Amino acid sequence: MNLLWLQGLSCSGNTQSFLCAEDPELWEVLDGYNIVFHPALTYDRDEEGVVRDFLSGGKELDLFLVEGAVGGNERSLCGKPFSRVVRELSERARYVVAVGNCAVFGNVPALMSENVSGLQFRFTERGGLLGKRFRSREGMPVINLSGCPIHPSWLSYVLLSIQRGKDIPLDELGRPRELYSHLTHHGCIRNEYFEWKVEAEEFGRKEGCLFYHLGCRGPMTHASCNRILWNGVSSKTRAGMPCVGCTEYDFPRENMLETQHLMGLPQDLPLGVSKRGYVLISGVAKTFAPERLRKRLIDEDK
Ligand code: SF4
């Protein structure tokens, strides 16, 4: 299967992440694909010549991956604005995959220009470059892999599923359900601190939950970061850094490392939790929190 990967307005973070794929290894994932162009893996190939071949129908386009946002003051390719080339190639592709939050929702580049968007979204608005009704030749909307950057295994899942002819069920934002049905909160080792409302005092500490003051979006962010660990061992919250919600359509937000409060309550409550329920449960939890949760896990003075 012919695979084409182009970069729009991007920092290359998703390429860098994907090059670290190790479970399975990058080469195992790409084994069944003919990588016709990728900005890092085939850097010495003639990008324009390759794209021209696909545009003219001289080569069948099976899998088209786009990294980065599109539109605005962008580069040109084959004498056309980059976004026009992306639109034309998307119509020819069997599958289109938006790799990373910029290609999915627009992210930072879309904050800087109104004319920049993701492939089928611009933040919360549906449409983007290709429009709400876009379907690839296999009848699928853009397969959205949001994240800043994505975990390499998320793309491996998509590539291997396509290669093996398996269905990829998507959620309402076009993201694979297998990867985005859980919340970052699921699998976080700080859940007990969350339940008893024991707050982390600073970043990088082993103890405490980062939701109450340090901005953690784990309870409202769809991502498998604590289920499919980074480098096989860790995640932001495991390392003492709040989840910043980088897989969601409202990323990036202002003041991401602090929790916004309204009348003493976190402005955004865990998904599906009512204000009343939160007040009732968190008040009781804080009062009865076990004493051991207030102590250091490893007493460094001993
Ligand atoms: S640190 Fe974040 S993800 Fe972990 S338990 Fe607290 S709110 Fe949930």
Side-chain angles (χ1 to χ4, degrees):
M1 282 192 275
N2 289 327
L3 180 156
L4 172 68
W5 178 311
L6 295 182
Q7 272 180 345
L9 301 165
S10 156
C11 69
S12 284
N14 295 287
T15 280
Q16 297 305 319
S17 180
F18 185 52
L19 293 180
C20 296
E22 55 180 2
D23 185 23
E25 294 278 344
L26 180 69
W27 300 111
E28 291 174 67
V29 177
L30 294 175
D31 197 31
Y33 290 97
N34 172 31
I35 308 162
V36 186
F37 184 85
H38 179 288
L41 293 169
T42 62
Y43 64 93
D44 54 347
R45 287 207 195 137
D46 168 19
E47 186 183 23
E48 290 222 341
V50 162
V51 168
R52 222 173 264 126
D53 253 9
F54 283 121
L55 287 175
S56 68
K59 213 184 245 319
E60 180 87 351
L61 183 52
D62 295 298
L63 192 55
F64 179 35
L65 298 108
V66 180
E67 176 181 8
V70 288
N73 189 15
E74 58 188 352
R75 68 181 172 124
S76 65
L77 192 60
C78 302
K80 304 174 188 184
F82 180 74
S83 46
R84 196 167 136 202
V85 172
V86 169
R87 197 180 293 125
E88 290 179 21
L89 288 170
S90 299
E91 277 158 19
R92 295 186 163 276
R94 286 179 57 211
Y95 299 94
V96 180
V97 183
V99 186
N101 201 296
C102 295
V104 176
F105 298 120
N107 202 354
V108 173
L111 281 182
M112 297 161 111
S113 165
E114 280 183 9
N115 301 323
V116 171
S117 71
L119 296 189
Q120 271 196 300
F121 282 88
R122 186 176 190 283
F123 299 116
T124 53
E125 274 168 51
R126 286 169 195 273
L129 174 74
L130 301 177
K132 300 184 235 197
R133 293 183 205 287
F134 169 82
R135 294 293 179 269
S136 67
R137 272 173 45 224
E138 289 287 334
M140 288 192 77
V142 175
I143 300 170
N144 282 331
L145 290 177
S146 56
C148 190
I150 58 158
H151 189 295
S153 295
W154 304 350
L155 181 53
S156 301
Y157 162 79
V158 170
L159 294 180
L160 291 173
S161 298
I162 290 174
Q163 204 185 94
R164 293 168 186 175
K166 299 209 163 158
D167 282 349
I168 305 177
L170 303 177
D171 68 11
E172 67 285 359
L173 299 177
R175 304 174 298 190
R177 285 186 186 279
E178 179 63 33
L179 304 170
Y180 294 90
S181 294
H182 288 83
L183 301 174
T184 306
H185 189 61
H186 298 154
C188 178
I189 54 175
R190 296 169 189 269
N191 273 332
E192 197 184 14
Y193 294 101
F194 175 84
E195 285 156 16
W196 292 105
K197 210 177 171 205
V198 177
E199 303 159 10
E201 284 168 21
E202 55 187 83
F203 301 115
R205 280 272 189 105
K206 288 184 171 53
E207 308 83 5
C209 169
L210 304 141
F211 173 74
Y212 300 102
H213 287 295
L214 301 181
C216 187
R217 306 279 301 177
M220 49 281 217
T221 297
H222 295 88
S224 41
C225 291
N226 274 311
R227 198 165 63 85
I228 303 173
L229 297 177
W230 290 77
N231 296 320
V233 292
S234 195
S235 69
K236 280 199 187 75
T237 61
R238 287 179 186 219
M241 161 76 190
C243 162
V244 291
C246 74
T247 54
E248 294 297 352
Y249 52 75
D250 56 351
F251 178 82
R253 272 164 262 96
E254 284 180 8
N255 305 320
M256 288 195 291
L257 301 183
E258 52 186 78
T259 304
Q260 306 301 312
H261 289 90
L262 215 58
M263 316 236 303
L265 289 184
Q267 193 170 303
D268 295 320
L269 293 178
L271 216 56
V273 174
S274 67
K275 269 189 196 154
R276 193 158 160 258
Y278 179 86
V279 171
L280 271 173
I281 290 171
S282 63
V284 174
K286 193 164 183 162
T287 310
F288 293 101
E291 197 47 39
R292 72 182 157 79
L293 294 181
R294 302 194 188 283
K295 295 188 178 147
R296 300 298 305 265
L297 282 171
I298 300 169
D299 192 342
E300 276 147 23
D301 294 334
K302 287 189 178 163

